[in-house]
Amino acid sequence: MTDVARTTATILRLGHQGDGVAHGPLYAPRCLPDEQVSGVQEGTQLTDIRIETPSEHRIAAPCRHYKSCGGCQLQHASDDFVASWKLGIVEKALQAQGLETRFRPIHTSPAQSRRRATLAVRRTKKGAMAGFHGRASGVITPIPDCQLLDPDLIVAIPLAEALAMAGASRKTPLSVTLTTSETGLDVLVRDGKPLDSALRSALAELAGQHGVARLTWEDEQVAMEQPPLQAFGAARVCTPAGSFLQATRDGEAALLAGVLEITKGAKRIVDFFAGCGTFSLPLAANAEVLALESEPAMIEALENGWRQARGLKKITAEVRDLFRNPLLPEDLKPFGAFYEAAVIDPPRAGAETQVAQLAETRMPVIAYVSCNPVTFARDAKTLVSAGYRLNWVQVVDQFRWSAHTEVVASFTLDD
Ligand SMILES: C[S@@+](CC[C@H](N)C(=O)[O-])C[C@H]1O[C@@H](n2cnc3c(N)ncnc32)[C@H](O)[C@@H]1O
């Protein structure tokens, strides 16, 4: 056997995916800035890595699965290091647009708080095995002691395996999305066998045995013991299977606290990219809300939740594609008085056209929630150029141990 030549490198920074980056660039997964490492160079990747001189920020991963599992990227770094790295990402994105602001202390969701997980589940000779895909591999790593997920998701691993035994093909792993709800688990399965009557009744039986609130197989609901409800303020919403939810309840509460503070006192609020009402419904405790969202099923869920709740002010919910058909200044006029505040929480692409229209509308107060620092900074630049002040930004790390970053930010019109 020939010896493979090993390369040594010094890690200069972290890349977008949380990998260490050395001169080249050479990418070294799970390495930290200032570490001396050695490994085998394969193209731009370093593999078979040994940490020769560890960073002072390196810690023992809290989860025993971390070495093989691909679910987390940053368990080898201290919380303080990850916090300042994420803050730095947002700061640099703003600097690239010529902006600076005050940062509030980061809010990090605790371990075991992720409310949704998509497990890969494959049939084995003896039964089935559920877990996350391994690092850069298609191999499934079992995760019985996962430190990321809410324990209610972990206890459903046997259910995920039973679903695979009932309805996975031999070749393709099932994709099982588990979401916690007020009334039990909401389960969505993809890549399974086509439904027939035998499979339908086997699945319904499994759902009953495991106390599942709702089981959806591809696009068909096969069992509904109880509607799976999410609590948004005073409302309870039966969200469509697999539709967007903030990653943790704790992160959602931190984002909502920011949104409520920014929009405090406003009697009429527009909620752009409203989803199922995560912000609209709590806001409706004190304000009339116009909720805009492109997914009809989410708008229907929001409206149903609002109708069944007590004591909320009026919500007008509208299906609208805000990329193609942004709300224009003249759209707000029929409502008699101008809205006093806006909440905007777009997908990763940001909200370039809608933000430009908001600036033209002279909306006095804007709460901007974003999962992409780059598009956030671009849109912030549009607002600041139009005379808005960026008062503060808070990083809300509900994607603990991953490279994702979420922010809530306060803008007011400076005139
Ligand atoms: C980041 S999520 C936020 C949802 C909600 N604010 C919440 O916190 O749960 C973005 C939302 O924008 C919606 N969306 C995506 N593209 C859209 C578009 N072109 N027009 C309107 N809504 C869109 C998605 O369906 C999703 O509900």
Side-chain angles (χ1 to χ4, degrees), residues 182-226:
E182 301 274 300
T183 46
L185 273 189
D186 190 13
V187 182
L188 169 63
V189 182
R190 301 221 180 272
D191 302 328
K193 288 181 188 166
L195 281 171
D196 57 23
S197 59
L199 181 54
R200 262 190 207 94
S201 55
L203 294 173
E205 199 176 319
L206 275 176
Q209 280 165 4
H210 289 261
V212 167
R214 174 175 64 185
L215 174 60
T216 310
W217 196 262
E218 302 293 347
D219 294 326
E220 188 175 325
Q221 183 180 299
V222 289
M224 173 99 102
E225 287 288 315
Q226 320 198 41

Side-chain angles (χ1 to χ4, degrees), residues 276-361:
C276 295
T278 305
F279 302 129
S280 296
L281 288 156
L283 285 167
N286 293 305
E288 276 187 33
V289 179
L290 170 62
L292 304 160
E293 158 64 46
S294 62
E295 283 298 319
M298 294 175 94
I299 285 289
E300 195 183 330
L302 188 164
E303 283 179 320
N304 286 338
W306 173 70
R307 242 178 256 119
Q308 286 161 28
R310 289 201 180 161
L312 296 185
K313 299 209 183 308
K314 185 170 177 208
I315 296 185
T316 307
E318 184 186 321
V319 177
R320 186 161 179 144
D321 183 332
L322 296 166
F323 291 163
R324 292 190 184 171
N325 189 15
L327 202 70
L328 303 174
E330 53 265 37
D331 294 325
L332 294 167
K333 285 188 186 139
F335 295 95
F338 277 109
Y339 282 79
E340 293 162 9
V343 178
I344 185 157
D345 180 14
R348 290 189 65 74
E352 198 168 16
T353 44
Q354 186 56 73
V355 162
Q357 293 304 327
L358 265 183
E360 205 169 314
T361 307

